[in-house]
Amino acid sequence: MNLLSGHARLAGVFGHPITHSRSPRLHGFWLQRYGIDGAYIPLGVAPSGFAAAVRALVDLGFRGANVTIPHKLAAFEICDAVAPFARRAGAVNTLIFRDGRIEGSNTDGFGFLESIREAAPGWRADAGPAVLLGAGGAARAIAAALLDAGAPRVTLVNRTAAKAEALARDLGGPIHVADRPSLEDAALLVNTTSLGMQGQPGLEVDLAPLPASAVVADIVYVPLETRLLAAARARGLVAVDGLGMLLHQARPGFEAWFGVAPQVDQALRDVVAADIPKRDGA
Ligand SMILES: NC(=O)c1ccc[n+]([C@@H]2O[C@H](COP(=O)([O-])OP(=O)(O)OC[C@H]3O[C@@H](n4cnc5c(N)ncnc54)[C@H](OP(=O)(O)O)[C@@H]3O)[C@@H](O)[C@H]2O)c1
């Protein structure tokens, strides 16, 4: 059954709550820019209704959906096929409906790497060790992406060491856990914790030991310029904000659902960042 066949292309984002999601604005901008007859809809659905809601979208002829908190694990269960990277990342954030089947993938690692490449065009994952602060869901996708891209070493530093150890064991390869960041030879430092986010405690890291060529990334994007990024810029280092990851992770889904490979540029950034404070308290 495909109740909407022949009509506009439809996709959306599942979350609970969903009002904070910037994905509708992001995809809406691209739909307008590329003149596509389609819509991208916020889908606020509680966990108990998630599976039925996904099935309903398949029946309605939707092309697919993004999945955000708290559905990223439940999305696994409902997929007929899950891409290998999503398995490694332990979460599905993109659903593609094809011929009544549900395919799941995870684009967070791709989005992260693309955001670094955009901000630091000469950067390569295999150029040197990476230090990740945090060991949650985002850290998992980023660590997996860095290892897959050839990072010679990934070090996890997390408040709860046991979680970092479990993550390192799960991913395998040149990844280990430390109780403090050792930055002397790091090519990349990434904050994947929620520290520095508006309303959360700040993140205190002394960036002085980092090599002058190091890149510093923060995946927090509210505010856009966290204290970590401001300190990195003050030291003359390349600083990469979390908005880039959010924008780039959306590209594969949009292309699959709407048939156009979308561009990330300043106009998109301006639209999506319109209501995001630039600095804490700004
Ligand atoms: N830019 C993007 O596209 C993007 C994508 C995904 C996530 N994010 C952002 O990334 C952040 C993490 O997301 P997530 O999904 O990975 O969350 P998560 O799975 O809940 O992980 C949270 C991480 O932050 C650490 N943490 C939280 N509070 C802390 C504190 N007071 N002191 C020290 N460490 C603390 C946790 O440490 P413990 O293990 O010790 O609890 C854990 O490592 C959020 O701010 C989220 O908005 C951004």
Side-chain angles (χ1 to χ4, degrees):
M1 185 170 42
N2 181 341
L3 300 180
L4 296 177
S5 74
H7 292 262
R9 294 167 178 234
L10 298 173
V13 54
F14 282 105
H16 185 66
I18 197 62
T19 43
H20 67 283
S21 173
R22 288 176 171 85
S23 294
R25 192 186 294 186
L26 198 175
H27 287 274
F29 175 90
W30 279 335
L31 286 169
Q32 200 174 12
R33 168 183 276 178
Y34 298 113
I36 294 167
D37 179 18
Y40 182 97
I41 298 158
L43 301 157
V45 175
S48 58
F50 175 70
V54 174
R55 287 275 163 219
L57 291 201
V58 174
D59 287 347
L60 284 166
F62 272 58
R63 305 294 174 116
N66 283 125
V67 179
T68 186
I69 295 166
H71 303 307
K72 286 186 176 186
L73 292 178
F76 251 111
E77 307 304 320
I78 198 170
C79 287
D80 298 301
V82 174
F85 184 81
R87 269 188 204 291
R88 203 153 140 71
V92 162
N93 75 346
T94 304
L95 300 174
I96 296 166
F97 308 151
R98 252 192 268 270
D99 305 324
R101 277 168 54 85
I102 302 171
E103 297 171 12
S105 60
N106 183 307
T107 63
D108 278 341
F110 166 83
F112 175 77
L113 293 182
E114 286 293 290
S115 75
I116 303 283
R117 290 180 184 125
E118 182 194 0
W123 179 85
R124 291 171 51 103
D126 59 8
V131 176
L132 265 58
L133 310 177
R140 190 180 178 105
I142 290 171
L146 286 168
L147 290 167
D148 290 356
R153 189 173 78 233
V154 173
T155 303
L156 302 174
V157 181
N158 193 43
R159 174 178 63 178
T160 311
K163 271 207 219 166
E165 275 149 17
L167 175 52
R169 257 196 318 275
D170 263 17
L171 292 181
I175 177 166
H176 69 271
V177 178
D179 56 8
R180 62 168 65 173
S182 148
L183 301 180
E184 286 73 13
D185 65 346
L188 176 68
L189 170 67
V190 191
N191 175 40
T192 76
T193 75
S194 43
L195 292 175
M197 200 162 107
Q198 200 172 45
Q200 299 280 319
L203 174 65
E204 304 296 339
V205 188
D206 177 13
L207 301 183
L210 276 174
S213 56
V215 172
V216 176
D218 199 332
I219 69 163
V220 167
Y221 58 88
V222 182
L224 282 175
E225 171 111 327
T226 59
R227 258 198 279 164
L228 176 71
L229 295 182
R233 278 189 232 283
R235 249 217 63 189
L237 304 172
V238 175
V240 186
D241 67 34
L243 186 62
M245 175 174 169
L246 181 77
L247 303 180
H248 284 283
Q249 64 76 32
R251 285 168 40 201
F254 188 91
E255 183 170 4
W257 305 319
F258 301 116
V260 172
Q263 295 300 305
V264 168
D265 61 10
Q266 193 58 44
L268 176 71
R269 271 188 159 262
D270 290 345
V271 164
V272 177
D275 63 346
I276 303 178
K278 193 130 181 49
R279 277 173 216 88
D280 221 358

PDB file of all heavy atoms in Angstrom, residues 17-44:
ATOM      1  N   PRO A  17      11.139  14.910  23.063  1.00  0.00           N
ATOM      2  CA  PRO A  17      10.346  15.873  22.292  1.00  0.00           C
ATOM      3  C   PRO A  17      11.015  16.176  20.948  1.00  0.00           C
ATOM      4  O   PRO A  17      12.176  15.797  20.737  1.00  0.00           O
ATOM      5  CB  PRO A  17      10.376  17.106  23.192  1.00  0.00           C
ATOM      6  CG  PRO A  17      11.707  17.017  23.888  1.00  0.00           C
ATOM      7  CD  PRO A  17      11.968  15.552  24.099  1.00  0.00           C
ATOM      8  N   ILE A  18      10.314  16.918  20.089  1.00  0.00           N
ATOM      9  CA  ILE A  18      10.865  17.210  18.774  1.00  0.00           C
ATOM     10  C   ILE A  18      10.930  18.707  18.492  1.00  0.00           C
ATOM     11  O   ILE A  18      11.582  19.130  17.535  1.00  0.00           O
ATOM     12  CB  ILE A  18      10.042  16.464  17.680  1.00  0.00           C
ATOM     13  CG1 ILE A  18      10.814  16.395  16.358  1.00  0.00           C
ATOM     14  CG2 ILE A  18       8.669  17.098  17.484  1.00  0.00           C
ATOM     15  CD1 ILE A  18      12.113  15.647  16.430  1.00  0.00           C
ATOM     16  N   THR A  19      10.314  19.512  19.358  1.00  0.00           N
ATOM     17  CA  THR A  19      10.210  20.954  19.039  1.00  0.00           C
ATOM     18  C   THR A  19      11.580  21.624  18.904  1.00  0.00           C
ATOM     19  O   THR A  19      11.723  22.586  18.164  1.00  0.00           O
ATOM     20  CB  THR A  19       9.410  21.706  20.123  1.00  0.00           C
ATOM     21  OG1 THR A  19       9.837  21.221  21.383  1.00  0.00           O
ATOM     22  CG2 THR A  19       7.924  21.498  19.963  1.00  0.00           C
ATOM     23  N   HIS A  20      12.597  21.106  19.611  1.00  0.00           N
ATOM     24  CA  HIS A  20      13.917  21.747  19.569  1.00  0.00           C
ATOM     25  C   HIS A  20      14.678  21.407  18.278  1.00  0.00           C
ATOM     26  O   HIS A  20      15.703  22.010  17.990  1.00  0.00           O
ATOM     27  CB  HIS A  20      14.752  21.264  20.758  1.00  0.00           C
ATOM     28  CG  HIS A  20      15.088  19.806  20.624  1.00  0.00           C
ATOM     29  ND1 HIS A  20      14.157  18.817  20.884  1.00  0.00           N
ATOM     30  CD2 HIS A  20      16.191  19.172  20.181  1.00  0.00           C
ATOM     31  CE1 HIS A  20      14.693  17.629  20.627  1.00  0.00           C
ATOM     32  NE2 HIS A  20      15.929  17.823  20.193  1.00  0.00           N
ATOM     33  N   SER A  21      14.200  20.410  17.526  1.00  0.00           N
ATOM     34  CA  SER A  21      14.996  19.919  16.387  1.00  0.00           C
ATOM     35  C   SER A  21      15.145  20.990  15.315  1.00  0.00           C
ATOM     36  O   SER A  21      14.177  21.646  14.921  1.00  0.00           O
ATOM     37  CB  SER A  21      14.335  18.687  15.773  1.00  0.00           C
ATOM     38  OG  SER A  21      15.025  18.336  14.584  1.00  0.00           O
ATOM     39  N   ARG A  22      16.364  21.117  14.825  1.00  0.00           N
ATOM     40  CA  ARG A  22      16.613  22.081  13.745  1.00  0.00           C
ATOM     41  C   ARG A  22      16.560  21.422  12.376  1.00  0.00           C
ATOM     42  O   ARG A  22      16.714  22.077  11.348  1.00  0.00           O
ATOM     43  CB  ARG A  22      17.960  22.760  13.963  1.00  0.00           C
ATOM     44  CG  ARG A  22      17.862  23.719  15.140  1.00  0.00           C
ATOM     45  CD  ARG A  22      19.135  24.384  15.536  1.00  0.00           C
ATOM     46  NE  ARG A  22      18.846  25.421  16.512  1.00  0.00           N
ATOM     47  CZ  ARG A  22      18.728  25.229  17.819  1.00  0.00           C
ATOM     48  NH1 ARG A  22      18.841  24.023  18.319  1.00  0.00           N
ATOM     49  NH2 ARG A  22      18.469  26.231  18.638  1.00  0.00           N
ATOM     50  N   SER A  23      16.297  20.103  12.358  1.00  0.00           N
ATOM     51  CA  SER A  23      16.294  19.387  11.077  1.00  0.00           C
ATOM     52  C   SER A  23      15.189  19.869  10.124  1.00  0.00           C
ATOM     53  O   SER A  23      15.445  19.991   8.920  1.00  0.00           O
ATOM     54  CB  SER A  23      16.178  17.882  11.314  1.00  0.00           C
ATOM     55  OG  SER A  23      17.341  17.425  11.971  1.00  0.00           O
ATOM     56  N   PRO A  24      13.959  20.163  10.599  1.00  0.00           N
ATOM     57  CA  PRO A  24      12.948  20.641   9.648  1.00  0.00           C
ATOM     58  C   PRO A  24      13.373  21.933   8.938  1.00  0.00           C
ATOM     59  O   PRO A  24      13.171  22.085   7.738  1.00  0.00           O
ATOM     60  CB  PRO A  24      11.712  20.862  10.531  1.00  0.00           C
ATOM     61  CG  PRO A  24      11.882  19.872  11.643  1.00  0.00           C
ATOM     62  CD  PRO A  24      13.358  19.878  11.925  1.00  0.00           C
ATOM     63  N   ARG A  25      14.010  22.823   9.675  1.00  0.00           N
ATOM     64  CA  ARG A  25      14.451  24.075   9.058  1.00  0.00           C
ATOM     65  C   ARG A  25      15.565  23.814   8.031  1.00  0.00           C
ATOM     66  O   ARG A  25      15.609  24.404   6.954  1.00  0.00           O
ATOM     67  CB  ARG A  25      14.983  24.995  10.164  1.00  0.00           C
ATOM     68  CG  ARG A  25      15.187  26.413   9.678  1.00  0.00           C
ATOM     69  CD  ARG A  25      15.841  27.273  10.698  1.00  0.00           C
ATOM     70  NE  ARG A  25      15.009  27.496  11.879  1.00  0.00           N
ATOM     71  CZ  ARG A  25      15.368  28.329  12.853  1.00  0.00           C
ATOM     72  NH1 ARG A  25      16.502  28.991  12.786  1.00  0.00           N
ATOM     73  NH2 ARG A  25      14.605  28.487  13.900  1.00  0.00           N
ATOM     74  N   LEU A  26      16.454  22.888   8.407  1.00  0.00           N
ATOM     75  CA  LEU A  26      17.594  22.541   7.546  1.00  0.00           C
ATOM     76  C   LEU A  26      17.096  21.932   6.216  1.00  0.00           C
ATOM     77  O   LEU A  26      17.423  22.409   5.119  1.00  0.00           O
ATOM     78  CB  LEU A  26      18.422  21.531   8.343  1.00  0.00           C
ATOM     79  CG  LEU A  26      19.860  21.178   8.060  1.00  0.00           C
ATOM     80  CD1 LEU A  26      20.352  20.246   9.150  1.00  0.00           C
ATOM     81  CD2 LEU A  26      20.083  20.589   6.734  1.00  0.00           C
ATOM     82  N   HIS A  27      16.277  20.890   6.334  1.00  0.00           N
ATOM     83  CA  HIS A  27      15.789  20.221   5.122  1.00  0.00           C
ATOM     84  C   HIS A  27      14.819  21.121   4.353  1.00  0.00           C
ATOM     85  O   HIS A  27      14.801  21.099   3.119  1.00  0.00           O
ATOM     86  CB  HIS A  27      15.136  18.884   5.486  1.00  0.00           C
ATOM     87  CG  HIS A  27      16.135  17.838   5.879  1.00  0.00           C
ATOM     88  ND1 HIS A  27      16.778  17.028   4.982  1.00  0.00           N
ATOM     89  CD2 HIS A  27      16.638  17.502   7.088  1.00  0.00           C
ATOM     90  CE1 HIS A  27      17.619  16.226   5.610  1.00  0.00           C
ATOM     91  NE2 HIS A  27      17.546  16.495   6.902  1.00  0.00           N
ATOM     92  N   GLY A  28      14.051  21.928   5.092  1.00  0.00           N
ATOM     93  CA  GLY A  28      13.130  22.858   4.436  1.00  0.00           C
ATOM     94  C   GLY A  28      13.886  23.859   3.565  1.00  0.00           C
ATOM     95  O   GLY A  28      13.457  24.196   2.453  1.00  0.00           O
ATOM     96  N   PHE A  29      15.043  24.309   4.056  1.00  0.00           N
ATOM     97  CA  PHE A  29      15.880  25.239   3.277  1.00  0.00           C
ATOM     98  C   PHE A  29      16.330  24.573   1.981  1.00  0.00           C
ATOM     99  O   PHE A  29      16.240  25.164   0.901  1.00  0.00           O
ATOM    100  CB  PHE A  29      17.089  25.651   4.122  1.00  0.00           C
ATOM    101  CG  PHE A  29      18.082  26.515   3.378  1.00  0.00           C
ATOM    102  CD1 PHE A  29      17.956  27.901   3.383  1.00  0.00           C
ATOM    103  CD2 PHE A  29      19.127  25.943   2.678  1.00  0.00           C
ATOM    104  CE1 PHE A  29      18.865  28.701   2.692  1.00  0.00           C
ATOM    105  CE2 PHE A  29      20.035  26.738   1.986  1.00  0.00           C
ATOM    106  CZ  PHE A  29      19.911  28.117   1.999  1.00  0.00           C
ATOM    107  N   TRP A  30      16.786  23.339   2.086  1.00  0.00           N
ATOM    108  CA  TRP A  30      17.265  22.635   0.884  1.00  0.00           C
ATOM    109  C   TRP A  30      16.112  22.361  -0.089  1.00  0.00           C
ATOM    110  O   TRP A  30      16.282  22.501  -1.301  1.00  0.00           O
ATOM    111  CB  TRP A  30      17.940  21.319   1.275  1.00  0.00           C
ATOM    112  CG  TRP A  30      19.363  21.445   1.733  1.00  0.00           C
ATOM    113  CD1 TRP A  30      20.256  22.429   1.420  1.00  0.00           C
ATOM    114  CD2 TRP A  30      20.075  20.526   2.578  1.00  0.00           C
ATOM    115  NE1 TRP A  30      21.473  22.184   2.027  1.00  0.00           N
ATOM    116  CE2 TRP A  30      21.381  21.024   2.742  1.00  0.00           C
ATOM    117  CE3 TRP A  30      19.724  19.338   3.218  1.00  0.00           C
ATOM    118  CZ2 TRP A  30      22.353  20.366   3.501  1.00  0.00           C
ATOM    119  CZ3 TRP A  30      20.690  18.677   3.985  1.00  0.00           C
ATOM    120  CH2 TRP A  30      21.991  19.192   4.125  1.00  0.00           C
ATOM    121  N   LEU A  31      14.954  21.978   0.431  1.00  0.00           N
ATOM    122  CA  LEU A  31      13.805  21.699  -0.455  1.00  0.00           C
ATOM    123  C   LEU A  31      13.470  22.938  -1.285  1.00  0.00           C
ATOM    124  O   LEU A  31      13.234  22.851  -2.497  1.00  0.00           O
ATOM    125  CB  LEU A  31      12.582  21.271   0.368  1.00  0.00           C
ATOM    126  CG  LEU A  31      12.640  19.856   0.951  1.00  0.00           C
ATOM    127  CD1 LEU A  31      11.509  19.642   1.952  1.00  0.00           C
ATOM    128  CD2 LEU A  31      12.565  18.803  -0.155  1.00  0.00           C
ATOM    129  N   GLN A  32      13.514  24.081  -0.608  1.00  0.00           N
ATOM    130  CA  GLN A  32      13.201  25.327  -1.303  1.00  0.00           C
ATOM    131  C   GLN A  32      14.317  25.675  -2.298  1.00  0.00           C
ATOM    132  O   GLN A  32      14.062  26.012  -3.447  1.00  0.00           O
ATOM    133  CB  GLN A  32      13.051  26.433  -0.271  1.00  0.00           C
ATOM    134  CG  GLN A  32      12.280  27.610  -0.802  1.00  0.00           C
ATOM    135  CD  GLN A  32      12.023  28.634   0.289  1.00  0.00           C
ATOM    136  OE1 GLN A  32      12.596  28.580   1.379  1.00  0.00           O
ATOM    137  NE2 GLN A  32      11.159  29.584  -0.004  1.00  0.00           N
ATOM    138  N   ARG A  33      15.542  25.560  -1.844  1.00  0.00           N
ATOM    139  CA  ARG A  33      16.676  25.920  -2.708  1.00  0.00           C
ATOM    140  C   ARG A  33      16.669  25.108  -4.000  1.00  0.00           C
ATOM    141  O   ARG A  33      16.962  25.632  -5.066  1.00  0.00           O
ATOM    142  CB  ARG A  33      17.991  25.681  -1.961  1.00  0.00           C
ATOM    143  CG  ARG A  33      19.194  25.764  -2.885  1.00  0.00           C
ATOM    144  CD  ARG A  33      20.497  25.468  -2.187  1.00  0.00           C
ATOM    145  NE  ARG A  33      21.026  26.651  -1.526  1.00  0.00           N
ATOM    146  CZ  ARG A  33      22.148  26.654  -0.809  1.00  0.00           C
ATOM    147  NH1 ARG A  33      22.842  25.537  -0.666  1.00  0.00           N
ATOM    148  NH2 ARG A  33      22.583  27.747  -0.254  1.00  0.00           N
ATOM    149  N   TYR A  34      16.372  23.805  -3.897  1.00  0.00           N
ATOM    150  CA  TYR A  34      16.462  22.942  -5.080  1.00  0.00           C
ATOM    151  C   TYR A  34      15.113  22.787  -5.785  1.00  0.00           C
ATOM    152  O   TYR A  34      14.991  21.993  -6.713  1.00  0.00           O
ATOM    153  CB  TYR A  34      17.067  21.582  -4.695  1.00  0.00           C
ATOM    154  CG  TYR A  34      18.477  21.733  -4.151  1.00  0.00           C
ATOM    155  CD1 TYR A  34      18.769  21.460  -2.817  1.00  0.00           C
ATOM    156  CD2 TYR A  34      19.507  22.210  -4.960  1.00  0.00           C
ATOM    157  CE1 TYR A  34      20.048  21.650  -2.302  1.00  0.00           C
ATOM    158  CE2 TYR A  34      20.795  22.405  -4.459  1.00  0.00           C
ATOM    159  CZ  TYR A  34      21.050  22.126  -3.131  1.00  0.00           C
ATOM    160  OH  TYR A  34      22.312  22.326  -2.624  1.00  0.00           O
ATOM    161  N   GLY A  35      14.111  23.563  -5.349  1.00  0.00           N
ATOM    162  CA  GLY A  35      12.809  23.562  -6.016  1.00  0.00           C
ATOM    163  C   GLY A  35      12.150  22.193  -6.022  1.00  0.00           C
ATOM    164  O   GLY A  35      11.529  21.794  -7.016  1.00  0.00           O
ATOM    165  N   ILE A  36      12.280  21.466  -4.915  1.00  0.00           N
ATOM    166  CA  ILE A  36      11.726  20.106  -4.848  1.00  0.00           C
ATOM    167  C   ILE A  36      10.304  20.146  -4.283  1.00  0.00           C
ATOM    168  O   ILE A  36      10.044  20.834  -3.283  1.00  0.00           O
ATOM    169  CB  ILE A  36      12.635  19.213  -3.970  1.00  0.00           C
ATOM    170  CG1 ILE A  36      13.991  19.044  -4.668  1.00  0.00           C
ATOM    171  CG2 ILE A  36      11.986  17.850  -3.704  1.00  0.00           C
ATOM    172  CD1 ILE A  36      15.060  18.454  -3.785  1.00  0.00           C
ATOM    173  N   ASP A  37       9.424  19.422  -4.923  1.00  0.00           N
ATOM    174  CA  ASP A  37       8.041  19.311  -4.441  1.00  0.00           C
ATOM    175  C   ASP A  37       8.040  18.270  -3.320  1.00  0.00           C
ATOM    176  O   ASP A  37       7.866  17.076  -3.566  1.00  0.00           O
ATOM    177  CB  ASP A  37       7.146  18.864  -5.604  1.00  0.00           C
ATOM    178  CG  ASP A  37       5.703  18.707  -5.166  1.00  0.00           C
ATOM    179  OD1 ASP A  37       5.332  19.245  -4.099  1.00  0.00           O
ATOM    180  OD2 ASP A  37       4.949  18.027  -5.883  1.00  0.00           O
ATOM    181  N   GLY A  38       8.300  18.736  -2.117  1.00  0.00           N
ATOM    182  CA  GLY A  38       8.406  17.790  -1.006  1.00  0.00           C
ATOM    183  C   GLY A  38       8.244  18.493   0.320  1.00  0.00           C
ATOM    184  O   GLY A  38       8.106  19.713   0.385  1.00  0.00           O
ATOM    185  N   ALA A  39       8.236  17.713   1.376  1.00  0.00           N
ATOM    186  CA  ALA A  39       8.119  18.276   2.728  1.00  0.00           C
ATOM    187  C   ALA A  39       8.893  17.397   3.701  1.00  0.00           C
ATOM    188  O   ALA A  39       9.034  16.185   3.489  1.00  0.00           O
ATOM    189  CB  ALA A  39       6.653  18.356   3.140  1.00  0.00           C
ATOM    190  N   TYR A  40       9.384  18.029   4.746  1.00  0.00           N
ATOM    191  CA  TYR A  40      10.138  17.345   5.808  1.00  0.00           C
ATOM    192  C   TYR A  40       9.480  17.769   7.118  1.00  0.00           C
ATOM    193  O   TYR A  40       9.456  18.949   7.459  1.00  0.00           O
ATOM    194  CB  TYR A  40      11.598  17.761   5.747  1.00  0.00           C
ATOM    195  CG  TYR A  40      12.479  17.075   6.770  1.00  0.00           C
ATOM    196  CD1 TYR A  40      13.233  15.957   6.427  1.00  0.00           C
ATOM    197  CD2 TYR A  40      12.585  17.566   8.076  1.00  0.00           C
ATOM    198  CE1 TYR A  40      14.057  15.333   7.366  1.00  0.00           C
ATOM    199  CE2 TYR A  40      13.399  16.948   9.014  1.00  0.00           C
ATOM    200  CZ  TYR A  40      14.131  15.835   8.642  1.00  0.00           C
ATOM    201  OH  TYR A  40      14.951  15.221   9.561  1.00  0.00           O
ATOM    202  N   ILE A  41       8.962  16.811   7.841  1.00  0.00           N
ATOM    203  CA  ILE A  41       7.996  17.086   8.908  1.00  0.00           C
ATOM    204  C   ILE A  41       8.519  16.643  10.280  1.00  0.00           C
ATOM    205  O   ILE A  41       9.042  15.524  10.401  1.00  0.00           O
ATOM    206  CB  ILE A  41       6.690  16.316   8.583  1.00  0.00           C
ATOM    207  CG1 ILE A  41       6.119  16.842   7.263  1.00  0.00           C
ATOM    208  CG2 ILE A  41       5.671  16.415   9.704  1.00  0.00           C
ATOM    209  CD1 ILE A  41       5.185  15.868   6.591  1.00  0.00           C
ATOM    210  N   PRO A  42       8.377  17.489  11.316  1.00  0.00           N
ATOM    211  CA  PRO A  42       8.732  17.036  12.670  1.00  0.00           C
ATOM    212  C   PRO A  42       7.703  16.030  13.161  1.00  0.00           C
ATOM    213  O   PRO A  42       6.500  16.267  13.058  1.00  0.00           O
ATOM    214  CB  PRO A  42       8.693  18.326  13.508  1.00  0.00           C
ATOM    215  CG  PRO A  42       7.858  19.291  12.740  1.00  0.00           C
ATOM    216  CD  PRO A  42       7.891  18.893  11.288  1.00  0.00           C
ATOM    217  N   LEU A  43       8.167  14.896  13.697  1.00  0.00           N
ATOM    218  CA  LEU A  43       7.268  13.811  14.106  1.00  0.00           C
ATOM    219  C   LEU A  43       7.509  13.509  15.587  1.00  0.00           C
ATOM    220  O   LEU A  43       8.396  12.726  15.936  1.00  0.00           O
ATOM    221  CB  LEU A  43       7.547  12.564  13.249  1.00  0.00           C
ATOM    222  CG  LEU A  43       7.379  12.766  11.729  1.00  0.00           C
ATOM    223  CD1 LEU A  43       8.179  11.725  10.948  1.00  0.00           C
ATOM    224  CD2 LEU A  43       5.907  12.691  11.348  1.00  0.00           C
ATOM    225  N   GLY A  44       6.752  14.173  16.442  1.00  0.00           N
ATOM    226  CA  GLY A  44       6.885  13.958  17.877  1.00  0.00           C
ATOM    227  C   GLY A  44       6.126  12.700  18.272  1.00  0.00           C
ATOM    228  O   GLY A  44       4.901  12.691  18.268  1.00  0.00           O
TER     229      GLY A  44
END
